[in-house]
Amino acid sequence: MESGVEELMPRLLPVDDCDLAEDFDPTVPPRTPQEYLKRVQIEAARCPDVVVAQIDPKKLKKKQTVNISISGCQPAPEGYSPTLKWQQQQVANFSAVRQSLNKHRNHWRSRHLDSNVTMPKSEDEEGWKKFCLGERVYSEIDALPDNENLGIDYIKVGFPPLLSIVSRMNQATVTSVLEYLISWFGEKKFTPELGRWLYALLACLEKPLLPEAHSLIRQLARRCSEVRILEENKNEEQISALNLIICLVSRYFDQRDLADEPS
């Protein structure tokens, strides 16, 4: 190595010149400590001064920028702020759902899925959005032709978060799908299909939360508070659903700075 490089990278274990056998071969496993240290010296001398990593640009298309907001939720529209008693009841109900899910997870995981249910791979963002929301919501189609004789077409209306489905999702998949749906919700309206899946995924999140999940649910609560302010018709059922998600994030998952002040 160049002397300048050696000055920047001093030897931590200096090795004096040593007598090695004439048949010393650095390509074979060392037989003595001297041969080992000599081989390390030779390999270090062959290393380039500058190494350029080979990076696949396709892997950098997503998640290059992380925006962090420390602001809380916007207050509920006047007359729609949930009472403390209501919030406490929702937390109790949610806790019971989580306990039941954990208790019976192995049972539901062992149940066979219907032949028409094909769960997307964890990294398939578009696949999960269509799976959860259905073509009607995902593609923003006002209506799809009904065919009562064929029953419900879950490809069109989305698969509900059945216990046999969510019980098969590990924490990495739960977090990924939650991220996909929150990302979609960031630019779209709130729908019953979305609400059911958000509730189910929150029920599947394990505590203590991983940092990524912690950030996601806070983002979700803020978005819910924004949407309920913009709700023109003040649909009570929809505002109640948004209040519920904010309540669970803030009071069950201990993000108290996001909680609605009791009315």
Side-chain angles (χ1 to χ4, degrees):
M1 299 177 67
E2 304 253 350
S3 59
V5 176
E6 290 185 351
E7 291 177 2
L8 294 175
M9 302 171 60
R11 297 179 181 178
L12 297 181
L13 293 172
V15 180
D16 295 330
D17 292 335
C18 54
D19 295 331
L20 297 174
E22 294 183 359
D23 61 347
F24 170 67
D25 184 355
T27 63
V28 301
R31 295 166 295 182
T32 66
Q34 290 78 11
E35 288 186 359
Y36 169 77
L37 294 174
K38 186 63 177 179
R39 181 174 177 175
V40 171
Q41 284 184 318
I42 294 173
E43 291 177 351
R46 292 173 179 171
C47 291
D49 296 343
V50 178
V51 178
V52 179
Q54 299 298 320
I55 300 176
D56 183 358
K58 294 181 181 179
K59 296 182 179 180
L60 300 178
K61 288 184 178 181
K62 298 180 180 180
K63 303 180 182 179
Q64 295 189 58
T65 304
V66 178
N67 296 320
I68 300 177
S69 173
I70 60 175
S71 61
C73 288
Q74 299 186 33
E78 186 176 355
Y80 291 90
S81 181
T83 64
L84 179 58
K85 181 178 180 180
W86 182 87
Q87 295 183 65
Q88 291 173 336
Q89 184 60 54
Q90 302 312 312
V91 169
N93 293 343
F94 182 69
S95 179
V97 169
R98 286 172 59 90
Q99 291 177 13
S100 178
L101 177 61
N102 289 331
K103 181 178 180 180
H104 302 290
R105 185 183 300 275
N106 290 335
H107 166 75
W108 287 107
R109 185 183 295 161
S110 64
R111 298 292 294 272
H112 292 293
L113 293 174
D114 291 341
S115 59
N116 65 328
V117 181
T118 302
M119 295 173 61
K121 294 183 179 179
S122 180
E123 65 275 11
D124 184 2
E125 180 173 353
E126 301 305 312
W128 273 109
K129 290 177 182 177
K130 293 179 181 178
F131 183 87
C132 298
L133 305 175
E135 291 181 356
R136 179 178 62 83
V137 172
Y138 178 77
S139 303
E140 297 183 295
I141 300 174
D142 291 335
L144 289 170
D146 294 327
N147 192 332
E148 296 181 358
N149 295 328
L150 297 178
I152 299 175
D153 186 346
Y154 288 112
I155 301 299
K156 295 179 179 179
V157 301
F159 289 91
L162 303 173
L163 288 172
S164 56
I165 293 176
V166 298
S167 295
R168 284 174 162 79
M169 300 169 66
N170 58 30
Q171 283 300 289
T173 301
V174 169
T175 303
S176 294
V177 177
L178 189 61
E179 180 181 4
Y180 301 152
L181 296 182
I182 292 174
S183 174
W184 186 90
F185 184 35
E187 299 178 354
K188 307 293 183 179
K189 62 183 180 180
F190 185 84
T191 67
E193 295 86 354
L194 176 65
R196 286 193 291 267
W197 268 99
L198 290 175
Y199 187 95
L201 292 171
L202 289 176
C204 293
L205 276 182
E206 295 179 357
K207 295 175 72 175
L209 294 175
L210 296 174
E212 183 178 359
H214 176 272
S215 175
L216 283 172
I217 65 170
R218 289 182 64 84
Q219 180 183 343
L220 173 61
R222 294 192 191 97
R223 177 57 180 164
C224 287
S225 72
E226 294 172 357
V227 172
R228 70 182 177 182
I229 285 291
L230 299 174
E231 176 63 33
E232 296 179 356
N233 300 324
K234 296 297 181 285
N235 182 306
E236 290 190 16
E237 184 175 344
Q238 178 154 307
I239 290 182
S240 179
L242 295 168
N243 286 346
L244 172 59
I245 294 176
I246 295 172
C247 169
L248 298 180
V249 170
S250 60
R251 297 192 179 276
Y252 184 86
F253 290 103
D254 302 317
Q255 308 302 307
R256 297 306 175 96
D257 60 307
L258 303 178
D260 282 317
E261 293 298 328
S263 58

